[in-house]
Amino acid sequence: MPVKQVARSRPEVRGLGMTSQRARDRLIERLQGEGIRDRRVLDTLRQLPRHLFIDEALASRAYEDTALPIGRGQTISQPYVVARMTEVLIEHALPARVLEIGTGSGYQCAVLATLVEQVYTVERIDELLRNARRRFRKLGLDNIRSRHDDGRLGWPEEAPFDAIMVTAAGTDLENTLLDQLAPGGVLVAPVGPPGRQELLRVRSTDQGWQREILAAVSFVPLLGGVV
Ligand code: SAH
């Protein structure tokens, strides 16, 4: 299945120099070298303008494989991590409805929105959520619903989801989220204290929850309350 294309008529979406298509192509080569294999994931990272998800002052670094600050003490995840988490989320089956916790810049959400039918995303910092929504509109991504709330609660009114991706690290995996997974669904989340976080994949099977540890990772913390 081909990935959904974003609106590219505006010059700032296409980019120039350090934000050009060539810069994106080089990032994709690097991700392939690091083991990212899923064609759909590579195709969508190749087309998405990551430079529009960060402050203009940092735009020249958008296609380095590194996390970058997005304000309010938060970061846009490293492209490799975005690619890998997306890959493991869609590996066994392409989910139709996906819940993301931690909208942040909106980049991971945009990646998901080009691959699946409908994305739901929750962010606790209102200012970040507003910026992300502007980016979704600019790119013509109209299959994203977003909510300003504590994502540890999930989005019960819209549950169950075929897949859930958490992009901030809790000390434990919340049952509240697992309970919002559809049968056969998959959840990917970083879990653990700073310095000892692991990326987990949990699959809901006929025999119960199947947990796998995928990698050591470093994410900002999953915090309570909204601001
Ligand atoms: N997916 C984002 C990553 C942003 S970093 C991106 O691609 O840019 C993680 C985000 O999770 C931050 O924006 C942080 O504010 C948010 N977050 C932390 N705890 C949260 C919670 N309980 N509910 C919702 N969002 C939360």
Side-chain angles (χ1 to χ4, degrees), residues 12 18-19 24 27 48-71 74-79 82 103-108 128 131-132 134-136 138-139:
E12 83 255 35
M18 297 291 275
T19 64
R24 280 191 280 283
L27 172 63
L48 267 186
R50 188 170 183 259
H51 61 277
L52 295 188
F53 290 82
I54 54 180
D55 199 80
E56 251 179 87
L58 288 171
S60 65
R61 302 190 54 198
Y63 301 104
E64 293 175 15
D65 188 20
T66 173
L68 292 167
I70 54 171
Q74 306 305 317
T75 54
I76 180 173
S77 306
Q78 180 191 353
V82 170
T103 319
S105 68
Y107 181 68
Q108 172 74 71
L128 296 183
N131 290 338
R134 263 196 293 110
R135 294 169 181 138
F136 300 151
K138 185 180 272 187
L139 294 173

Side-chain angles (χ1 to χ4, degrees), residues 41-140:
V41 174
L42 293 167
D43 283 351
T44 198
L45 264 74
R46 193 192 298 280
Q47 66 147 340
L48 267 186
R50 188 170 183 259
H51 61 277
L52 295 188
F53 290 82
I54 54 180
D55 199 80
E56 251 179 87
L58 288 171
S60 65
R61 302 190 54 198
Y63 301 104
E64 293 175 15
D65 188 20
T66 173
L68 292 167
I70 54 171
R72 307 294 301 261
Q74 306 305 317
T75 54
I76 180 173
S77 306
Q78 180 191 353
Y80 173 79
V81 172
V82 170
R84 187 67 194 131
M85 281 179 82
T86 309
E87 206 170 53
V88 302
L89 198 78
I90 68 176
E91 188 177 344
H92 295 285
L94 189 65
R97 300 170 76 248
V98 178
L99 172 67
E100 182 204 28
I101 306 302
T103 319
S105 68
Y107 181 68
Q108 172 74 71
C109 184
V111 168
L112 292 169
T114 62
L115 293 165
V116 309
E117 222 168 277
Q118 183 71 44
V119 185
Y120 299 82
T121 186
V122 185
E123 170 61 53
R124 64 181 285 276
I125 302 178
D126 191 45
E127 183 188 333
L128 296 183
L129 186 59
R130 286 168 192 275
N131 290 338
R133 284 178 177 146
R134 263 196 293 110
R135 294 169 181 138
F136 300 151
R137 276 197 297 276
K138 185 180 272 187
L139 294 173

